[in-house]
Amino acid sequence: MSKKDERDRSRVEAVLELIRKQTPLTVKQEKFCNYACVERFLKAKGDNVKRAAKQLRACLSWRESIGADYLVADEFSGELADGLAYVAGHDDEYRPVMILRMKQEYQKFHSQKMFTRLLVFTMEVAVSTMPKYVQQFVLLFDASFYRSASAFTNLLVGALKITGEYYPGRLHKAFIIDPPSLFPYFWKGVGAFVELSAVTKVVSSLDFHGEDASSGDLTGGRSVMNAGSCSSSRFAFTVSHHVDSLKPWYLSLSETSVASRTPVQQRTPRPSFFQSPAGMVFRRGERVCRESFLPLWKLYRRPYDEMVYRSKMRGPVGGNFRRRHVSFSQRF
């Protein structure tokens, strides 16, 4: 063992010793405070043992207050059915990719604590799917369902704050996709006070529609018709022809319409953030990381499947999943 490894191990032991002096750790807390975990807290605090111990103790108290070790999927049955927050898969480096596709109306009918529990549950699922040599995940915030820049900024800042304080060293990159047009003004004011702002970038889905042909047909050759009730003009409503399919529909980014289908009332597309004057200003001041988001484009477009997502959950966290009955008329 090198001298550096010895120093690192001694710091980790020092952090754990400071924590145990205050209160004995439970079995679950001991499991959480493994070597890699304490090392991440140390790195976040510049190898300062006292500061790392203080933050880790605060994290343990916070996890206990929200019941992070006892979250199960049954608590979020509605959110899982709608695909509001889920792990879509893994990137080229085997990092879990989480997608938050929250709607603005969600915050009107749910408390901040409920959103926090959903976010923590999703991150816990992501962490549980990490290979042993992977310690980070990727966050994709789909902001296309938001009309209010201030409402989305509040959600974004809250999620990044939780990630930075209680999951230090876990976030590799975060991408904000199609935010409201006034978002850059709000982000410019609060971004400087957000610890993870440096790894948070904004991208436009319009920049990647040309990649559809090169990345392959993700719709599987099935018919697609434009969505009339969806609040995002980039999505389409697709009917599955598989009788045993869990869901008779899925969301895709295809804009192909089928004339033989029953016509659906068209929604007026919301102006793109990057086509607005604010978006032009943002483009000049912020470089869009096309190359880093390109490998995630396929995961972002992939149709959400609740059964596939639940299969990623280990142990009792997945809860009791029952296939909902779908009538024959609903399937086609």
Side-chain angles (χ1 to χ4, degrees):
M1 183 181 293
S2 64
K3 291 184 178 180
K4 182 181 182 301
D5 293 337
E6 291 180 358
R7 287 196 302 269
D8 293 342
R9 185 164 293 277
S10 64
R11 290 194 187 100
V12 170
E13 292 297 334
V15 170
L16 292 175
E17 185 178 354
L18 285 175
I19 292 177
R20 293 190 182 108
K21 279 183 179 179
Q22 299 178 15
T23 356
L25 299 178
T26 64
V27 176
K28 289 185 177 293
Q29 288 176 338
E30 287 281 1
K31 185 178 180 180
F32 177 78
C33 296
N34 54 39
Y35 182 88
C37 173
V38 179
E39 195 174 35
R40 287 193 298 271
F41 277 84
L42 275 168
K43 187 176 180 180
K45 294 300 179 182
D47 292 331
N48 188 301
V49 173
K50 291 184 178 180
R51 293 176 61 191
K54 182 179 179 181
Q55 185 180 10
L56 182 53
R57 168 51 68 183
C59 176
L60 293 175
S61 301
W62 173 80
R63 289 177 63 86
E64 185 177 357
S65 67
I66 67 168
D69 295 321
Y70 304 98
L71 296 174
V72 293
D74 291 343
E75 181 180 345
F76 314 102
S77 56
E79 288 81 353
L80 294 184
D82 294 337
L84 300 186
Y86 61 98
V87 179
H90 295 74
D91 65 5
D92 296 338
E93 301 297 328
Y94 301 101
R95 289 181 287 256
V97 179
M98 292 184 293
I99 296 181
L100 267 65
R101 194 162 274 146
M102 310 299 296
K103 299 179 181 179
Q104 185 168 319
E105 291 73 19
Y106 180 83
Q107 291 178 295
K108 295 181 180 179
F109 302 103
H110 298 81
S111 64
Q112 180 64 30
K113 183 177 181 180
M114 184 63 183
F115 167 72
T116 300
R117 290 173 66 83
L118 175 61
L119 176 65
V120 172
F121 173 80
T122 311
M123 289 194 286
E124 291 294 323
V125 173
V127 170
S128 68
T129 63
M130 291 180 180
K132 292 183 178 180
Y133 54 87
V134 175
Q135 294 195 30
Q136 293 184 311
F137 49 66
V138 179
L139 264 172
L140 304 183
F141 292 91
D142 186 350
S144 61
F145 292 97
Y146 269 80
R147 299 174 300 278
S148 170
S150 60
F152 175 72
T153 303
N154 291 335
L155 178 136
L156 173 67
V157 171
L160 292 178
K161 184 178 180 181
I162 291 172
T163 306
E165 290 185 4
Y166 306 119
Y167 292 84
R170 285 295 196 188
L171 183 62
H172 173 64
K173 283 183 180 177
F175 292 94
I176 305 167
I177 306 167
D178 299 337
S181 59
L182 294 179
F183 169 75
Y185 298 112
F186 288 92
W187 184 241
K188 185 177 180 180
V190 303
F193 304 98
V194 178
E195 181 183 356
L196 297 176
S197 60
V199 294
T200 304
K201 304 297 179 184
V202 179
V203 295
S204 169
S205 61
L206 297 177
D207 293 339
F208 298 90
H209 282 302
E211 301 296 332
D212 293 346
S214 59
S215 60
D217 181 17
L218 299 180
T219 63
R222 286 173 286 190
S223 299
V224 178
M225 58 182 175
N226 293 335
S229 60
C230 178
S231 56
S232 171
S233 61
R234 298 180 296 101
F235 287 93
F237 187 88
T238 302
V239 178
S240 173
H241 293 279
H242 298 286
V243 175
D244 294 330
S245 176
L246 174 66
K247 290 184 178 300
W249 54 267
Y250 73 89
L251 294 175
S252 74
L253 293 176
S254 174
E255 296 182 355
T256 306
S257 61
V258 180
S260 60
R261 298 286 184 185
T262 303
V264 182
Q265 184 179 2
Q266 298 295 320
R267 172 182 289 271
T268 303
R270 180 166 54 85
S272 168
F273 159 73
F274 288 100
Q275 293 176 341
S276 66
M280 298 302 179
V281 173
F282 193 85
R283 274 186 181 275
R284 290 196 294 267
E286 182 82 8
R287 181 179 179 182
V288 180
C289 298
R290 176 183 173 85
E291 294 78 12
S292 55
F293 182 73
L294 188 56
L296 308 174
W297 173 244
K298 186 176 181 179
L299 288 176
Y300 173 67
R301 286 200 65 221
R302 180 177 297 170
Y304 170 72
D305 191 315
E306 184 181 358
M307 180 176 288
V308 172
Y309 176 41
R310 282 184 180 259
S311 68
K312 303 177 189 294
M313 305 175 189
R314 299 179 181 177
V317 70
N320 299 317
F321 177 59
R322 296 181 180 178
R323 292 170 60 106
R324 290 173 294 180
H325 174 72
V326 180
S327 66
F328 187 81
S329 60
Q330 289 176 312
R331 298 179 193 275
F332 300 99

